Amino acid sequence: MSLRTPPVAIAAHDAPARTTPSLYPPPFAERMAGRVKQPLGTLFGLANFGVNLTRLAPGAVSALRHAHALQDEFIYVLEGEPTLVTDAGRTRLAPGMCAGFKAGSGDAHQLVNESDREAVYLEVGDRTPNDSVVYPDDDLVAVGTATGGWVFTHKDGRPY
């Protein structure tokens, strides 16, 4: 096995897009159409946290509305005006605005691009193993594995 040397630096928009558009099981994966993630942290071999340059086409969503038990998340808007949807309601964001989501808060969140132009933002999250994620609007639960993968089930525990 050969180890690839990470680049010293790159233009973020030149990073390759994630090869798997969504980790969600059907029918949820299809709802991620119009979202493109370019994993920046992985490109540099970062192990403790991830950084993605994410693009949302008009009408696209960042993720299903969700809340992590163990992983913190942070977003910083670069372009466009996505709408942040949280338990507190809807907040229109603009370039230069940011938001953070503390692990264990239970405050489910997502970004929705309700505008007519692309939204671009950085998302940062830690990679705490054995995390769990609740999706209050969908029949879905995710449990993280020790190796960084996810197991998705229905809320009653049935597998997808």
Side-chain angles (χ1 to χ4, degrees), residues 61-152:
V61 299
S62 62
L64 302 176
R65 200 167 70 89
H66 67 286
H68 287 268
L70 302 177
Q71 293 183 9
D72 289 334
E73 292 181 288
F74 175 87
I75 57 132
Y76 181 84
V77 178
L78 299 168
E79 299 174 29
E81 295 184 343
T83 299
L84 173 62
V85 181
T86 67
D87 291 348
R90 304 171 83 75
T91 304
R92 188 70 170 244
L93 303 179
M97 294 181 76
C98 59
F101 312 102
K102 184 169 174 43
S105 72
D107 188 6
H109 56 276
Q110 76 177 154
L111 292 175
V112 179
N113 187 356
E114 298 172 328
S115 76
D116 60 358
R117 56 179 253 226
E118 182 178 69
V120 181
Y121 61 95
L122 286 173
E123 58 184 21
V124 180
D126 71 69
R127 294 181 171 167
T128 304
N130 303 311
D131 188 18
S132 62
V133 185
V134 296
Y135 301 87
D137 305 330
D138 297 286
D139 182 20
L140 187 67
V141 173
V143 176
T145 67
T147 59
W150 294 97
V151 175
F152 293 96

Side-chain angles (χ1 to χ4, degrees), residues 7-46:
V8 173
I10 66 161
H13 65 271
D14 289 338
R18 192 164 79 178
T19 56
T20 304
S22 174
L23 301 176
Y24 294 133
F28 305 109
E30 294 79 17
R31 290 170 48 191
M32 298 304 107
R35 178 191 76 180
V36 176
K37 290 188 179 210
Q38 294 168 270
L40 303 177
T42 302
L43 185 66
F44 292 99
L46 302 184

